[in-house]
Amino acid sequence: MEIRVAVPDDVGHLAGMLGLFAERDEADGAGFAPDLLRWWSDHDSHLAFLAVLPSGEAVAMAWLAIAERVPRPGGAARLCGDVQSVFVVAEHRSAGVGTALLRAVVQHAESLGLEHVTVHSNPRANSLYERVGFTSSPELLMWTWR
């Protein structure tokens, strides 16, 4: 399996998985792909990652949103990241695909010099993120309207 940063030609794979992630029957992503491509081209702050089998089938995705932080003296370029829309195709879950994908995302974030990476998870996926090294933090708080 290859894990790589996605390119615009991968938009069909990404759109299909986002449809499945949203629990809509849009596995081919054809209708959503043009909208996603337009959005993605306007948001260079978001990197998509794919896990691809030797057959060329994409079986997992994750997005890394990169944000600039307020500069400080001696630290003008401060960046942080947020992992978003992680999805593994059902037939490939519990086989290490998600773990490998997230490790690649975190390694890439580290190579970019991000100060930290966060994720908003659901309780079922917490163990996946913990396996990769994510921990709960008393410094990170969230406001929500729900």
Side-chain angles (χ1 to χ4, degrees), residues 15-26 32 61 85-87:
M17 282 189 270
L18 282 166
L20 293 170
F21 183 75
E23 298 181 358
R24 295 192 171 100
D25 190 18
E26 299 175 21
F32 177 56
M61 71 167 180
S85 299
V86 176
F87 181 79

Side-chain angles (χ1 to χ4, degrees), residues 5 18 39-40 42-49 61-69 78-86 102 104-106 108-110 112-120 129 134:
V5 175
L18 282 166
W39 177 87
W40 194 13
D42 289 339
H43 293 84
D44 60 355
S45 59
H46 288 67
L47 298 175
F49 293 77
M61 71 167 180
W63 290 76
L64 177 65
I66 301 169
E68 292 184 40
R69 299 194 67 206
R78 298 175 66 219
L79 300 171
C80 63
D82 186 59
V83 174
Q84 302 175 353
S85 299
V86 176
L102 284 171
V105 171
V106 170
H108 192 85
E110 184 179 19
L112 295 175
L114 275 60
E115 291 183 3
H116 64 265
V117 177
T118 59
V119 65
H120 181 217
Y129 296 106
F134 283 83

Side-chain angles (χ1 to χ4, degrees), residues 1 5 7 9 14 20 41-42 49 55 65 85 90 92 103 110 113 128 131 139-140:
M1 174 179 58
V5 175
V7 297
D9 285 346
L14 295 165
L20 293 170
S41 67
D42 289 339
F49 293 77
S55 66
S85 299
H92 297 277
R103 283 192 176 129
E110 184 179 19
L128 167 63
R131 270 195 305 278
E139 293 87 23
L140 182 63

